Amino acid sequence: MKLVNSIISLAAAVAVLPSCVCLYAEADYEAPSDIEVSVGSCEIDRSQLGSDTIVEVPVCINNNCGFISLNMLFELDSRLSFAGDYEVGTRAKKLSGVNIYRCSDSGNTVSACFEVSGRSRFTDNGEVGFLRVNVPANTPAGEYGISMPDSAGDFEIMIFTYNSNDAMFGRECFSALNGGSITVTDSSAERAAEQPDSGNNDEANNAQQPAAETDDTGDKAPAVTTAESTAATTASTSTAAKTTSTVRSASSTDTSETLTTASVTSVTEIMTSDEVENDLKKGKNRNMLAPILAASLLVMGAAVAFVVKKGGKSK
């Protein structure tokens, strides 16, 4: 009886052996390929850096084959540092959290392992998490890089596609490890650099304006002088003009009265100047005749007196 039981047990073991081999064969997982991971970039102005400032930079995956655990490494520029409380975080609902390990004494390189809760797989493309980077106060303007090395210390990039050690794959599955950057700008320096140019333009415009004003003054000065001289001439001849117009009114015809004021004024000024000159000449001649007549009368009077006197004596 014992011999029969032993034979039956051996036969059962032989029957089960092929099924175990089949289960083991099904545990071989196909390696993924062309997975792309990257770090984003962001920009901050120096005016916002009154004190140390935490900046969140996104971490993304593309061509995701699905994973239950994804480990990546991040290295910061030496002038930056990771936040002290936690360096990497996630907002993805299907991820349970991030395990973080420092890979260097400086603390500028960390290994971040994004974990899925339970036995589900994370198959989304896009953002899987974010880095929390500390930008020191008064950081000079410039671009500060964030790289993704293959390995650092005892850590390296890897992906678990299923919940099994046989589903663990490394760098060969990743076609791109794209780093990012944080750019610090300085808008106040840019404005200061633009102001001298605008100042020079204003100075140039101001320098041109006096010249233009000088030209305008030069053009207007002769006109003012001419107007003044014309006014003076008109004033000086106003009396003569009145006399001339009175004299001409007696001899002028009705037709001449229909002339425009400008024409009459022009003729009046010309004739007035000629008549004034003639009157002055006549005045001078009259002034010269008076003494001559007076002298002649005195001579004649003296001669008559002399004759009368002489005649008296002869009688």
Side-chain angles (χ1 to χ4, degrees):
M1 187 67 183
K2 291 182 179 180
L3 180 59
V4 173
N5 290 335
S6 298
I7 294 173
I8 293 173
S9 299
L10 181 60
V14 172
V16 173
L17 182 61
S19 63
C20 294
V21 173
C22 291
L23 290 174
Y24 180 81
E26 291 178 359
D28 291 335
Y29 299 98
E30 182 179 358
S33 61
D34 296 330
I35 302 173
E36 297 179 1
V37 289
S38 62
V39 178
S41 297
C42 66
E43 186 175 293
I44 185 172
D45 192 81
R46 291 190 75 246
S47 60
Q48 303 175 9
L49 299 178
S51 59
D52 291 0
T53 303
I54 303 299
V55 177
E56 293 185 351
V57 184
V59 177
C60 300
I61 186 171
N62 189 34
N63 197 23
N64 183 14
C65 63
F67 64 85
I68 62 168
S69 178
L70 174 64
N71 191 73
M72 293 181 285
L73 287 80
F74 306 99
E75 183 175 359
L76 299 179
D77 184 284
S78 59
R79 292 165 290 186
L80 303 177
S81 61
F82 285 103
D85 46 359
Y86 67 98
E87 298 87 341
V88 187
T90 182
R91 300 184 183 91
K93 295 180 179 180
K94 295 181 181 180
L95 297 177
S96 60
V98 186
N99 296 323
I100 304 167
Y101 308 92
R102 292 186 177 272
C103 304
S104 63
D105 295 336
S106 64
N108 273 29
T109 305
V110 298
S111 171
C113 187
F114 295 87
E115 303 285 351
V116 176
S117 59
R119 293 181 174 273
S120 62
R121 300 170 69 242
F122 185 84
T123 57
D124 297 344
N125 287 313
E127 182 176 318
V128 294
F130 54 87
L131 306 180
R132 301 183 71 250
V133 182
N134 178 50
V135 182
N138 300 320
T139 299
E143 183 176 337
Y144 303 89
I146 304 174
S147 60
M148 299 187 69
D150 296 338
S151 61
D154 297 332
F155 302 90
E156 60 181 347
I157 187 170
M158 63 179 60
I159 184 172
F160 284 81
T161 56
Y162 292 92
N163 191 17
S164 172
N165 289 336
D166 295 326
M168 182 184 70
F169 303 96
R171 176 65 179 85
E172 68 278 2
C173 300
F174 296 86
S175 60
L177 303 176
N178 298 321
S181 65
I182 295 177
T183 301
V184 178
T185 59
D186 193 347
S187 58
S188 60
E190 293 174 358
R191 288 193 298 268
E194 293 174 357
Q195 287 177 355
D197 294 337
S198 60
N200 292 335
N201 293 334
D202 293 340
E203 292 177 0
N205 293 333
N206 294 334
Q208 291 176 359
Q209 288 178 357
E213 292 175 357
T214 304
D215 294 341
D216 294 341
T217 304
D219 294 340
K220 292 179 181 178
V224 172
T225 304
T226 303
E228 290 176 354
S229 63
T230 303
T233 303
T234 303
S236 64
T237 59
S238 60
T239 303
K242 290 179 180 178
T243 304
T244 303
S245 62
T246 303
V247 173
R248 291 187 54 167
S249 64
S251 58
S252 60
T253 63
D254 294 337
T255 304
S256 62
E257 292 178 357
T258 61
L259 297 175
T260 60
T261 303
S263 300
V264 173
T265 303
S266 177
V267 174
T268 301
E269 290 179 357
I270 295 172
M271 295 185 65
T272 298
S273 62
D274 292 340
E275 290 177 359
V276 169
E277 186 175 355
N278 292 333
D279 290 342
L280 291 176
K281 289 181 180 180
K282 291 178 180 179
K284 289 181 181 180
N285 293 333
R286 291 170 184 170
N287 293 335
M288 291 177 66
L289 289 174
I292 294 173
L293 292 174
S296 298
L297 292 174
L298 289 175
V299 171
M300 292 176 64
V304 172
F306 179 74
V307 171
V308 172
K309 185 178 182 181
K310 187 175 179 182
K313 286 182 180 182
S314 64
K315 290 180 179 181

